[in-house]
Amino acid sequence: MTQTATETIRSGQGAGAPLAAAPDAELAQVVAFLGELCEEIDTSLEPTTVNPHLNMLLHLLRAHLEGRLVSASSMVAASGVPYATAMRKLGDIQAAGLVEQRPRTRTGKSFSLHPSAALLDRFSQIAGRVARIARSNFAREETPEDYFFGGSYQPGRAMIPPPQVHPAPLKLAGGLRILVHGDPTFMVMDTLKRQFEQIVGTNIAQRAFSIDRLRQEALRNAERKKSRYDLIAVDLPWIGEFAARGVIAPLTEVMDVARLDPGDFHTAGWRATHWDGVPYGVPSQTTPELMFYRKDLFAREGLEPPETTDQVIEAARRFHAPRAGRYGVAWNAARGTALGHTFMMTCAAFGQPIVDLPPVAGGFDADRLADGPWRPRLDTPRARAAAEYLMQLLAYSPPDILSMSWYERVRPYAAGRVAMAYGYTLLAPYFELDATCPAFGNTGYLPHPHGPEGAPIAPVGGYALCVPANLAEERVSEAVEALVTFTSPEAQKLYAQNGSRTAPRYSVGADPEVRRLSPIFELVDQMSWRDELQFWPRPPLPRISDIITLCGTELHDMLRGLAAPEEALARLQARAEEILETPLH
């Protein structure tokens, strides 16, 4: 369980992701506060009586939050009482179900101690009460919101406790091996590696790549006799291809899917992990792409938030002042994958998918893509309107827009050089966690502004964690246990508390402590309930990656002035038809 157990390759999209450091900040603060308070009382008053029970529990919790192993001898040393007395007191808290022990060796003679689920749950409740008591007694100027901790007292919203330690460590030779994308949420998982190593009881090696390299590595891994990874992160549009090629295993063949509580996931995010009616992965992130806009700038200009594409253009025109170093809007316009995603989602904002999916209430039916074949719709009046909208955006964008991709579009927004930006919620930490950013506390979030024949849409992005189809049989059951742990409400809440702005579960978005972190969580829940959260804008067709690259190449030439929109779309349609008619190899 050393730091070197993780191999993290930060390249492409993974570079420079902002990460918070403190796991479960409120619990950690209260544990530290109580420890200092007890020490102050014990050393300042005479006579006094040491509380060995509390001293040992605080030591155990502090080590758990810091990712350190705890032995019985270290608990005794922390008790503040003689050895024999400490051992009896340790037995008391074990008998009360507050401490669990886990074998460290095959013989079971050596073991580590961990907080039980009951202890974590009780201290999570104590943390809230201690904070309220401190504020009510020491705060000078309280507001009702400060005192009531935002939504903490709203009925029916239970707080999710921290993750609990597995009763037995995972038995995986060489540790748990995970292939992920180098984005802020997966980097949060890397930051919490030591804590999760305690939870699952084995080393964790995490490899992170940019989006295109991640796909290449996943496909290379599928060609190996035995998978190099126990779990792999799969971009939602790849599900169809990876399922059809046998890269990932159907969940129904490796586990009881009911263990995941599927109804707790945002509907669109859960459906996006299916192929031919079968789930192939578990949502690790549900991160819709939204419109970020500066509330303070819009208020100053007397402008309403941009709900339509015409309003986006009008607002961008108002804010665009290149000589002053200010620009109207930033978006994914880099050649290839980045721009390809932009065009797909812009077509959706203008009211159509990129293939001829059947319409249903609230959008289009992407649940039966295995039925095919599908004809592309890339040279239609709405697709042309989408392309022309991108040409309009170009006039009010930063000068380097044609090389801007995932993170590059959000950086100028965070720095105050751009008034609006299209961005996934997972990118919000760039400005939500940095009080020096002009966008800090001044950002509003909207579904994609829509065209004349479109409707508000929040296209679902993000990744699912999947079990490789070629994973060695003796590793499958343990990999499934890790999969359940990493996608649990407890783990998802921990990611949010450490900087992630993705929450694929309703229960996490409704947790009062999570909602206090960012308005994003409540807004995404509301978008899901309004059926604005949709995955059909990026349909998981088996050849979708080729279509995305094609769109991003042809339309980049259009934006550079090398082809007129009608010419680019006609070529795009013809080549996309050839791609969709070509079977997978």
Side-chain angles (χ1 to χ4, degrees):
M1 293 173 59
T2 63
Q3 188 63 29
T4 57
T6 296
E7 178 185 4
T8 301
I9 300 178
R10 285 185 168 90
S11 58
Q13 284 180 273
L19 299 174
D24 202 350
E26 187 172 54
L27 180 59
Q29 287 176 346
V30 170
V31 168
F33 168 71
L34 290 176
E36 292 179 18
L37 180 62
C38 290
E39 183 177 1
E40 183 68 22
I41 293 173
D42 291 344
T43 57
S44 301
L45 296 176
E46 292 290 345
T48 185
T49 301
V50 173
N51 187 335
H53 292 139
L54 182 58
N55 286 343
M56 287 191 284
L57 291 176
L58 291 174
H59 173 74
L60 183 65
L61 287 166
R62 190 181 301 112
H64 174 72
L65 291 168
E66 294 173 357
R68 293 184 287 109
L69 281 179
V70 174
S71 63
S73 59
S74 69
M75 288 278 278
V76 167
S79 68
V81 296
Y83 180 85
T85 304
M87 288 300 294
R88 289 198 304 273
K89 301 301 183 183
L90 177 57
D92 292 343
I93 57 179
Q94 286 181 303
L98 301 180
V99 177
E100 294 179 354
Q101 64 182 46
R102 190 164 61 190
R104 297 178 62 184
T105 62
R106 292 183 178 179
T107 63
K109 294 181 179 179
S110 175
F111 56 86
S112 57
L113 300 178
H114 305 270
S116 69
L119 176 59
L120 290 171
D121 183 56
R122 290 184 195 178
F123 251 86
S124 293
Q125 297 175 30
I126 290 172
R129 293 198 293 268
V130 168
R132 286 198 296 275
I133 292 169
R135 290 192 183 188
S136 63
N137 282 279
F138 295 108
R140 298 296 182 188
E141 295 181 2
E142 292 180 316
T143 64
E145 182 179 358
D146 287 335
Y147 183 77
F148 291 109
F149 293 84
S152 294
Y153 290 126
Q154 296 183 35
R157 294 181 178 176
M159 288 190 187
I160 299 169
Q164 64 184 85
V165 174
H166 286 200
L170 296 184
K171 296 179 177 61
L172 289 167
L176 181 68
R177 304 167 305 198
I178 314 175
L179 177 65
V180 301
H181 179 229
D183 62 45
T185 295
F186 283 121
M187 292 304 98
V188 164
M189 292 175 62
D190 186 40
T191 302
L192 296 170
K193 182 181 78 71
R194 288 184 63 193
Q195 187 167 350
F196 275 100
E197 285 179 336
Q198 279 211 41
I199 290 169
V200 299
T202 190
N203 292 349
I204 299 174
Q206 178 169 298
R207 251 187 135 188
F209 287 107
S210 64
I211 186 169
D212 292 326
R213 291 187 62 200
L214 173 63
R215 178 173 174 271
Q216 293 167 6
E217 175 62 16
L219 292 175
R220 277 197 297 268
N221 183 66
E223 296 173 356
R224 300 180 177 116
K225 184 176 181 180
K226 297 293 182 182
S227 173
R228 180 176 293 174
Y229 309 101
D230 300 299
L231 298 173
I232 60 175
V234 176
D235 194 14
L236 294 179
W238 305 343
I239 291 290
E241 175 189 8
F242 281 22
R245 286 187 169 186
V247 175
I248 51 181
L251 291 184
T252 50
E253 293 184 4
V254 297
M255 67 176 299
D256 176 8
V257 176
R259 290 184 62 195
L260 300 168
D261 190 11
D264 189 32
F265 290 103
H266 288 127
T267 305
W270 176 246
R271 286 167 56 201
T273 65
H274 287 57
W275 180 251
D276 202 15
V278 177
Y280 278 82
V282 187
S284 177
Q285 305 171 15
T286 297
T287 174
E289 183 172 273
L290 306 177
M291 170 62 83
F292 304 161
Y293 70 97
R294 285 283 299 279
K295 295 189 294 183
D296 55 334
L297 298 182
F298 273 77
R300 190 179 308 160
E301 292 291 324
L303 293 175
E304 293 295 322
E307 296 182 355
T308 68
T309 52
D310 286 343
Q311 289 175 329
V312 171
I313 298 301
E314 175 59 27
R317 183 184 294 114
R318 293 274 290 272
F319 293 118
H320 197 62
R323 292 185 179 180
R326 296 193 305 270
Y327 307 95
V329 62
W331 43 292
N332 259 6
R335 188 180 188 88
T337 302
L339 179 56
H341 280 275
T342 290
F343 183 63
M344 286 196 302
M345 292 186 282
T346 305
C347 283
F350 278 80
Q352 70 150 72
I354 62 164
V355 292
D356 57 342
L357 300 178
V360 295
F364 294 86
D365 185 0
D367 288 319
R368 290 185 287 275
L369 292 175
D371 295 344
W374 304 105
R375 178 177 171 79
R377 299 187 65 200
L378 298 169
D379 190 12
T380 65
R382 295 189 191 187
R384 179 167 179 177
E388 290 173 344
Y389 171 65
L390 297 184
M391 294 289 288
Q392 289 179 287
L393 287 181
L394 189 65
Y396 307 108
S397 300
D400 56 344
I401 188 65
L402 293 182
S403 62
M404 276 190 182
S405 59
W406 318 99
Y407 297 111
E408 287 82 4
R409 56 183 168 164
V410 174
R411 287 178 179 138
Y413 174 80
R417 298 194 301 272
V418 175
M420 298 175 289
Y422 285 93
Y424 286 113
T425 60
L426 68 81
L427 300 174
Y430 274 107
F431 49 86
E432 282 203 349
L433 300 180
D434 186 351
T436 67
C437 289
F440 176 81
N442 289 318
T443 295
Y445 303 96
L446 292 171
H448 270 221
H450 59 86
E453 298 179 277
I457 290 290
V460 171
Y463 288 81
L465 281 178
C466 305
V467 177
N470 60 336
L471 182 62
E473 185 176 354
E474 65 272 14
R475 301 181 71 92
V476 170
S477 62
E478 302 290 75
V480 166
E481 293 305 313
L483 176 65
V484 172
T485 297
F486 292 144
T487 59
S488 67
E490 295 81 5
Q492 294 291 343
K493 178 179 177 179
L494 193 59
Y495 306 152
Q497 290 174 315
N498 283 268
S500 172
R501 291 298 179 261
T502 70
R505 291 179 176 271
Y506 289 111
S507 60
V508 178
D511 184 285
E513 292 181 323
V514 171
R515 289 206 172 187
R516 290 202 299 272
L517 299 172
S518 169
I520 284 175
F521 298 108
E522 183 173 3
L523 288 171
V524 171
D525 274 1
Q526 292 173 351
M527 291 175 192
S528 183
W529 292 120
R530 293 195 300 263
D531 220 17
E532 293 171 348
L533 217 58
Q534 296 284 343
F535 76 97
W536 62 261
R538 303 194 310 157
L541 296 164
R543 302 303 301 268
I544 193 64
S545 295
D546 296 329
I547 299 294
I548 291 171
T549 301
L550 176 63
C551 288
T553 302
E554 295 290 345
L555 292 177
H556 200 265
D557 288 345
M558 177 195 76
L559 294 174
R560 293 170 59 210
L562 302 179
E566 57 270 19
E567 178 186 353
L569 294 179
R571 189 161 55 238
L572 189 57
Q573 176 73 21
R575 294 185 62 188
E577 289 178 1
E578 294 176 2
I579 289 173
L580 290 182
E581 290 172 359
T582 303
L584 285 173
H585 298 297

